[in-house]
Amino acid sequence: MSMLTLALFACGSREPHASGSTPGPASSTISAEPRTTNDGKASASPSPSALVNGDCNVIGDNNRLVCMTPLPQSRGRVSLAIHNVVTAFFSGTPDQLPTPPNYPLDAAQGHCDDWSEWLTGTDGIYLFDPSVGLTLEAGSDDLVVIKRVDVEVFRRVSAGSGTIIKCLYGGGSNLGYSITVDTLKTETRFEAFDSDETGRMPPASISLGNAGSESADIGISSPPGNLYEGSIKVSVIINNKPDVITIGTAQRPFRWHSGLVSGADPDGPKYDWHPLQERWVRDFDPFSVR
């Protein structure tokens, strides 16, 4: 099967969990040839030497200038961050919900980003239909390639009943590409939001070869009715250097809920933290907060 490579050109933003390198500029050395007297002996004056950063110019006689062209500074970078969280599943009753960080009143309609670390780092909380944002950045001389995206499952259990947490009211944003990892088929596919481009990774890859940035949304498709613990691994090549960026470890796994089950219907009762009352409330109205 032939390799399919997509060149992407757009704008994006920086996120955590990043990989990249930034080589510094090269420097140059100036040295002077030793001066000699009429009898052929070296002069007592020491030979000057200097480092040149920038223009390769030198003033004086009998100087030898070795000048190297500075290397362009690399902007090649790939980063991962939780994206578009709307609801989460807590494997307990409403009165057992753990206390979250409070959030500013102007974030009442959407505070999942404020809770990102709390949601992903608290035992018993699993994201519904999780989405991870992938951002590529490149300078004019960089080549950034996404070779593959994989999901490793550490643990799977039946979901059972629980409590739904909601922290976003309204739609999320679409990134440039959608990448879906099917854990049952062990297959990864992508498609563009603004074109008919699709592919299977591998052999297809996503690359950015011009100055700018691009983004993609990583989703997970798993058999429904289960709670999962695992990790998302993105294999990248930045300027011919391979690397793997990961969200989720054995010590702090990435947790997700794979779909609808009895007692965990996202269309059923939901709970959110009231920033003024500082308690969990059922069917929270974010527009009631002033």
Side-chain angles (χ1 to χ4, degrees):
M1 185 179 292
S2 62
M3 177 68 71
L4 171 63
T5 302
L6 303 179
L8 311 176
F9 310 90
C11 293
S13 61
R14 297 179 178 230
E15 301 288 350
H17 302 280
S19 175
S21 60
T22 307
S27 57
S28 305
T29 302
I30 302 172
S31 63
E33 299 291 349
R35 296 174 182 246
T36 58
T37 61
N38 291 335
D39 59 5
K41 295 181 179 180
S43 169
S45 301
S47 299
S49 63
L51 290 177
V52 174
N53 291 313
D55 294 335
C56 293
N57 297 318
V58 65
I59 299 175
D61 298 327
N62 300 318
N63 289 314
R64 181 167 57 89
L65 176 64
V66 179
C67 184
M68 298 175 61
T69 303
L71 296 174
Q73 196 169 38
S74 172
R75 288 186 57 228
R77 175 184 172 96
V78 176
S79 56
L80 291 173
I82 305 302
H83 172 72
N84 274 359
V85 176
V86 178
T87 55
F89 173 85
F90 171 64
S91 56
T93 59
D95 61 299
Q96 296 174 323
L97 282 166
T99 301
N102 213 344
Y103 56 85
L105 298 184
D106 58 4
Q109 296 179 47
H111 40 276
C112 295
D113 288 346
D114 298 86
W115 284 358
S116 177
E117 287 295 318
W118 179 76
L119 289 169
T120 57
T122 303
D123 290 341
I125 294 181
Y126 300 78
L127 303 182
F128 266 117
D129 299 323
S131 177
V132 174
L134 171 65
T135 301
L136 295 74
E137 288 187 81
S140 58
D141 295 301
D142 293 321
L143 178 60
V144 180
V145 182
I146 306 300
K147 295 293 292 183
R148 62 186 301 144
V149 180
D150 298 292
V151 172
E152 181 180 359
V153 176
F154 302 149
R155 179 172 176 264
R156 183 185 72 181
V157 297
S158 179
S161 60
T163 304
I164 306 301
I165 300 170
K166 184 169 184 178
C167 52
L168 178 64
Y169 303 84
S173 60
N174 289 331
L175 303 182
Y177 280 75
S178 174
I179 301 172
T180 302
V181 182
D182 190 317
T183 61
L184 185 61
K185 297 179 180 179
T186 61
E187 177 183 270
T188 301
R189 303 192 67 87
F190 73 87
E191 61 179 335
F193 280 111
D194 57 358
S195 72
D196 295 329
E197 294 169 323
T198 62
R200 179 175 177 175
M201 301 177 68
S205 62
I206 298 175
S207 66
L208 179 61
N210 275 6
S213 57
E214 183 54 277
S215 56
D217 180 272
I218 301 173
I220 303 175
S221 174
S222 303
N226 296 301
L227 303 177
Y228 291 85
E229 295 182 359
S231 67
I232 300 174
K233 300 180 179 180
V234 180
S235 300
V236 306
I237 298 178
I238 301 176
N239 297 327
N240 294 320
K241 294 182 179 180
D243 198 3
V244 178
I245 311 169
T246 302
I247 286 185
T249 64
Q251 294 72 33
R252 184 175 173 172
F254 181 70
R255 300 180 179 90
W256 71 96
H257 190 304
S258 58
L260 302 180
V261 293
S262 176
D265 184 352
D267 294 326
K270 304 173 186 64
Y271 288 80
D272 199 354
W273 184 258
H274 198 296
L276 295 177
Q277 300 177 13
E278 296 188 356
R279 65 183 182 90
W280 290 101
V281 297
R282 177 173 171 170
D283 298 329
F284 172 67
D285 178 10
F287 301 100
S288 66
V289 177
R290 295 289 186 267

